[in-house]
Amino acid sequence: MAEFRDSIEIAAPPETVFEYLTSNEGMTAWMGQYADLDPTPGGQFAVDVAGYPIRGEYLIVEPPRRVVFSWGFPGNEELPTGASTVEFVLTATNTGTHVDLCHSDLPDTAVRGHADGWSHFMPRLRLVGAGLDAGADCWHPSTG
């Protein structure tokens, strides 16, 4: 199994950024067209991204510094519902929030596609977290 890591700086306090990881409206502002979230340990994590349903559950919710949820695709043998883990750690800085992302427990063959997705969505999180509009999202997974 493998992992993907990334980090960004957002010009907003952790409390603001946290809402973009735990609310339906916040999540869909930067990732996905649909979200049904219950940000409590054991609560549902359901987001549709580019027509793909991502399903899992919230594992750890520590406002406003840490969010961990499971991640996978219903019916997918390689990465089924809840098979991988996504962790966001939010650290207050003088200018806002430092965000560390770790997506772990990924099959080696899934790392490239998820790296492509996170490389697209993390800058969108930076924009909306700072109060800007990320615009319409036309991202689709690469097929090569």
Side-chain angles (χ1 to χ4, degrees):
M1 299 308 252
E3 66 182 31
F4 174 79
R5 291 181 174 271
D6 197 5
S7 63
I8 56 173
E9 302 289 330
I10 300 178
E15 294 81 6
T16 298
V17 177
F18 189 83
E19 288 298 313
Y20 287 98
L21 304 174
T22 58
S23 71
N24 297 341
E25 299 78 19
M27 184 66 74
T28 56
W30 66 280
M31 183 174 73
Q33 297 75 43
Y34 163 85
D36 187 6
L37 309 177
D38 177 9
T40 58
Q44 173 176 268
F45 178 86
V47 178
D48 290 356
V49 178
Y52 293 89
I54 299 164
R55 301 295 183 262
E57 68 180 44
Y58 282 91
L59 304 172
I60 300 170
V61 182
E62 298 173 351
R65 59 173 228 82
R66 187 171 176 225
V67 177
V68 182
F69 47 83
S70 62
W71 172 289
F73 304 95
N76 184 295
E77 289 184 24
E78 180 183 51
L79 190 61
T81 298
S84 65
T85 303
V86 176
E87 178 178 24
F88 285 93
V89 176
L90 312 178
T91 306
T93 66
N94 291 335
T95 58
T97 304
H98 178 84
V99 179
D100 286 306
L101 161 74
C102 179
H103 192 157
S104 59
D105 304 318
L106 286 167
D108 291 338
T109 55
V111 172
R112 182 174 167 203
H114 282 81
D116 177 56
W118 287 119
S119 295
H120 170 78
F121 289 111
M122 290 291 278
R124 291 176 59 82
L125 176 58
R126 177 188 294 124
L127 289 172
V128 300
L132 302 172
D133 183 354
D137 184 27
C138 299
W139 181 82
H140 291 284
S142 60
T143 57

